[in-house]
Amino acid sequence: MELNDARTQHTPLPPPRAPFHLPTWATAPRPQAPPGIYRQHHTPYDPRAAGDGETAAGPLLLRAALNLVVAVVLYPYVVELEVVLVQAVGLGRQLTSALANPLALLLGAVAAVLLIWAFGRMGRWREVGRRFLLPLVSHTVTDVPPEPEDVPVVDVWAELRPAGEAVRRLEGEQVGDVDYVRLHQAWRSVGADAAGRQEFAAQVGSRGAAACAHPSEQRDLPGGRRARHDLMVRQVRLGTAQDVPKNPATHRSAGFALEPALLGTSLLAVGPAGTGKTAALARPVAEALCLQALAGAACAVVVGASDADLGPDDWYDVVIAPGDPSAPYGLDLYGAAPNPDEAAARLADALLPDELAPRAESARTSMQQVVGPFRAAYGRYPGVRELRGLLAGDRDGWAELAEQLQKSGRRPEFEADLQQRERMHGRVDDPGALLADRLALLDRPALAPGFSGGPDAKPAFAMRALEHPLRVRVKLPERSHPEAARMLSRLLLGQFTQAAADRGDRELFAGLVLDDATAAVDAQTIRGIQRLRGANAGVVLLLRTLSDLPEALRAPLFGAVGNRMAFPGIAPWDGRLFSEAWGTHLVRETAVTHTPDTSGGTMRRAGRLVRKALSGTTAQTESVTTRDVERHRWSPSDLAHALPSGHAVVSLTSVTGEQVPPLLVDLRH
């Protein structure tokens, strides 16, 4: 979590959006491009136009001019030589006038062709013409204005025409990009189902552009957008890749964007507070996911401190704020998991701090010995206070649970669990007492109503709802209950990775943005993140420094995510992990060696001795060696000290395996 990122970075608000014109937006060119490039109005990279590997303009023009001068000077001599050769073999008479004699004209043309061929190749005249003369000719302005071209009329609703006459209503309405994408998404989901097509047509006929709307009935984000989005290809533009040698030529000066195809491999961003992680990354990605949810293509879970700038509450369908009495929703600690053992294990992992990780397995078992029997007896999961009492050894609670199990007829199945829990109670190594102490941090008067299970509990959000286009904002109480906030962040990340991977319908992209993942990362969640690549889901994790993580988790975390982002001011030891992950590349290096000149005979050596006596310098020879050497793409020192403010270095990997080496990106434009 990064406090006051927007204020610290002084990110200017974008100018007001121009009036939206649907045909212009829908027909805008979006050429295919490598991952990370904002495709709308993008000009594909052309190596010839860019001049990659070409000689600089100055030396090229100088060489061409010198070859031209030499060719002009040699022309009369070449012609004279040809005349002599022709007369010597007796093929021509006396050649006195080049203008009157056709043979002389032919010899002059042959000489010109030979000189142009020879000196044109050496002077690279063809390249000079392509680079300098052709652009001048193509940009020449004539007095005759060009004739206007007929612009073909494009039917932006062509795909929906099979729905019938109802589509005509859309032509006369103000339709936004969210409406356009949502309607097409709904039409594609119908497929060839005749009943579904009729229902779609009826909705469009009665509601127009508001048909098939999101359950919130919102057709855009309240309060406007801060980032630039292209919902047609589901991209959000974050900045501009800089025109520097370290960047691949295909990305230089191109817009930098993220999309689900990249977020599906998850993203890790590291940078100290104040460098813009929240304002330049977390908020735009949250904004993009919320827009895509309104278009029926994604579901978003955004987690951060209550004062983190992750968008207003009006952006979200569910706002969970433990500790805030006015928050309308609570959180299901078990994620509505159908398997009680799975839910109990995930909750136990979230309760334990990093330093107690070695006791995780026994803690999971103890939690399962309570949660499973309770759900079998009551048909629901225990609330925080009920669970705390059973783990702490509440005899009355155990007796009531055993009685209820007997009434339900399922006591034999869980009797062994209860007996084992009773035997462990009171022992020094009893994890139940530890779990009860950790649950006490959540069992506070301000926090208890925010969790399911109690009589005063609020309607609870369960992570199993990721199959619907929901927008969820979780505000963690980092100021009032910091340790509880850390436990909840671990729980939410664990629930998300499990629920996203277990979805039956993976058509929607599921995205989680975690503004401070310091306490949320453990070995279980890292394994869960790896499974998200094939589940149409991904997470965005923000960290202040990797030093906050146990050393054993740093390398596995780097291997689990496909996108890595370094912000200015990271520590050198953090930069070392980025540098190692990004690897090396071949760089052509030139070495100049100076050695004393010992060549020549007696006179030359005597001359060098006189020169040394008079000038005090020794004559030297210079040798130049060029070789290819391996160098880090970005060294730890560069990442720690050379990154300018408002920039970041990011490497990308798409779900299809395409990779983009580290890019230096200006996040301010």
Side-chain angles (χ1 to χ4, degrees):
M1 190 278 303
E2 186 167 335
L3 299 179
N4 303 328
D5 257 4
R7 295 189 293 272
T8 306
Q9 192 66 23
H10 301 290
T11 304
L13 292 177
R17 291 181 65 196
F20 182 77
H21 187 242
L22 179 63
T24 302
W25 174 81
T27 58
R30 295 174 176 88
Q32 291 295 326
I37 291 180
Y38 190 70
R39 291 171 50 188
Q40 189 179 113
H41 298 293
H42 170 65
T43 301
Y45 170 72
D46 184 359
R48 296 187 61 183
D52 283 2
E54 295 178 339
T55 308
L60 179 65
L61 292 174
L62 178 60
R63 184 182 299 114
L66 289 176
N67 280 271
L68 179 61
V69 170
V70 174
V72 171
V73 171
L74 291 180
Y75 175 75
Y77 299 100
V78 175
V79 173
E80 184 176 350
L81 178 61
E82 288 180 337
V83 171
V84 172
L85 291 175
V86 169
Q87 292 176 345
V89 298
L91 296 178
R93 295 172 297 178
Q94 184 68 26
L95 301 176
T96 58
S97 175
L99 295 176
N101 194 324
L103 183 56
L105 291 175
L106 178 61
L107 293 177
V110 172
V113 170
L114 290 175
L115 290 172
I116 291 174
W117 178 79
F119 290 95
R121 291 190 63 182
M122 291 189 294
R124 301 170 73 172
W125 293 351
R126 180 180 297 180
E127 184 176 348
V128 171
R130 176 177 58 83
R131 292 175 56 181
F132 301 103
L133 298 182
L134 288 182
L136 291 177
V137 174
S138 62
H139 288 85
T140 300
V141 180
T142 61
D143 295 334
V144 180
E147 297 182 0
E149 298 181 0
D150 294 333
V151 179
V153 178
V154 179
D155 183 9
V156 297
W157 300 111
E159 185 177 348
L160 304 186
R161 293 297 178 190
E165 292 297 320
V167 180
R168 291 185 177 273
R169 176 173 176 176
L170 299 174
E171 298 174 355
E173 293 192 10
Q174 182 64 35
V175 181
D177 54 352
V178 175
D179 300 326
Y180 184 87
V181 174
R182 186 189 67 250
L183 291 171
H184 282 77
Q185 180 80 12
W187 175 251
R188 296 185 190 110
S189 65
V190 168
D193 183 22
R197 290 192 169 201
Q198 292 179 0
E199 183 180 354
F200 177 85
Q203 278 242 14
V204 173
S206 61
R207 304 193 62 190
C212 309
H214 186 267
S216 67
E217 294 296 329
Q218 291 181 0
R219 296 165 60 187
D220 204 344
L221 293 180
R225 311 175 187 180
R226 186 177 293 180
R228 182 178 172 186
H229 303 266
D230 185 9
L231 290 178
M232 182 76 76
V233 290
R234 303 171 66 182
Q235 287 187 321
V236 54
R237 191 180 190 278
L238 300 183
T240 304
Q242 296 298 279
D243 187 5
V244 295
K246 280 183 176 290
N247 282 353
T250 53
H251 288 71
R252 294 173 191 170
S253 301
F256 172 73
L258 293 177
E259 57 188 292
L262 292 172
L263 295 177
T265 62
S266 299
L267 186 149
L268 172 66
V270 181
T275 54
K277 298 194 306 297
T278 300
L281 175 63
R283 180 185 168 109
V285 172
E287 187 176 295
L289 292 175
C290 288
L291 282 171
Q292 293 172 27
L294 292 180
C299 52
V301 180
V302 181
V303 183
S306 56
D307 54 353
D309 183 16
L310 296 171
D313 291 352
D314 292 341
W315 282 10
Y316 301 95
D317 307 308
V318 177
V319 178
I320 304 168
D324 183 0
S326 62
Y329 290 93
L331 176 67
D332 188 343
L333 293 179
Y334 306 93
N339 188 336
D341 286 349
E342 173 189 309
R346 190 162 51 240
L347 179 57
D349 291 338
L351 293 177
L352 294 182
D354 295 331
E355 57 270 17
L356 295 178
R359 302 186 62 182
E361 192 58 43
S362 60
R364 294 188 199 104
T365 303
S366 297
M367 184 73 75
Q368 291 166 349
Q369 290 170 349
V370 172
V371 172
F374 190 97
R375 189 168 187 266
Y378 294 96
R380 63 176 177 87
Y381 287 109
V384 175
R385 188 155 297 176
E386 294 169 322
L387 181 60
R388 179 187 174 191
L390 292 173
L391 290 171
D394 181 8
R395 298 291 180 180
D396 294 337
W398 284 352
E400 183 179 349
L401 176 58
E403 181 181 353
Q404 189 65 29
L405 272 176
Q406 188 172 7
K407 291 180 180 179
S408 66
R410 302 190 62 184
R411 180 177 176 83
E413 302 176 33
F414 296 97
E415 186 174 2
D417 282 343
L418 291 177
Q419 291 177 353
Q420 181 64 23
R421 180 87 287 279
E422 292 179 7
R423 284 195 297 268
M424 289 293 297
H425 176 64
R427 295 174 52 176
V428 177
D429 58 344
D430 178 20
L434 173 62
L435 292 173
D437 291 342
R438 301 292 293 175
L439 275 172
L441 298 172
L442 300 179
D443 190 18
R444 303 294 305 158
L447 299 178
F451 306 120
S452 60
D456 300 328
K458 303 175 182 178
F461 164 75
M463 202 65 76
R464 288 285 170 179
L466 292 180
E467 295 182 355
H468 307 283
L470 278 175
R471 302 166 297 165
V472 182
R473 170 73 164 98
V474 182
K475 297 182 175 182
L476 299 178
E478 291 206 349
R479 293 185 180 274
S480 57
H481 302 83
E483 188 59 30
R486 285 190 280 271
M487 287 192 296
L488 291 176
S489 67
R490 282 197 296 270
L491 178 64
L492 288 166
L493 180 57
Q495 286 185 351
F496 178 86
T497 56
Q498 188 66 42
D502 291 346
R503 289 182 300 169
D505 183 2
R506 297 179 177 180
E507 182 179 357
L508 297 179
F509 177 80
L512 170 72
V513 179
L514 187 52
D515 193 44
D516 182 10
T518 302
V521 178
D522 56 24
Q524 295 294 331
T525 56
I526 289 176
R527 285 191 285 269
I529 290 172
Q530 292 173 332
R531 292 194 296 267
L532 295 180
R533 295 196 182 197
N536 195 23
V539 298
V540 177
L541 306 177
L542 277 63
L543 291 173
R544 289 195 185 98
T545 175
L546 292 168
S547 300
D548 291 339
L549 299 179
E551 188 172 357
L553 296 180
R554 298 172 194 172
L557 178 60
F558 263 73
V561 298
N563 309 294
R564 307 173 185 96
M565 198 167 186
F567 282 78
I570 64 173
W573 41 89
D574 289 348
R576 179 178 57 82
L577 288 173
F578 279 98
S579 183
E580 292 176 354
W582 289 334
T584 60
H585 64 149
L586 290 177
V587 177
R588 178 149 293 186
E589 188 176 83
T590 301
V592 180
T593 305
H594 296 276
T595 57
D597 187 2
T598 59
S599 62
T602 304
M603 293 298 296
R604 192 169 180 180
R605 294 179 183 178
R608 287 198 294 268
L609 290 175
V610 173
R611 174 186 173 183
K612 182 176 181 180
L614 294 176
S615 64
T617 60
T618 303
Q620 294 181 335
T621 59
E622 182 181 279
S623 61
V624 179
T625 304
T626 302
R627 59 178 181 173
D628 291 335
V629 296
E630 285 193 356
R631 292 286 183 266
H632 284 289
R633 298 181 183 274
W634 282 86
S635 69
S637 178
D638 289 340
L639 293 171
H641 306 295
L643 284 187
S645 176
H647 291 65
V649 180
V650 55
S651 63
L652 304 172
T653 303
S654 70
V655 291
T656 58
E658 295 180 84
Q659 294 186 343
V660 177
L663 300 171
L664 177 63
V665 179
D666 186 352
L667 300 173
R668 301 168 300 182
H669 301 94

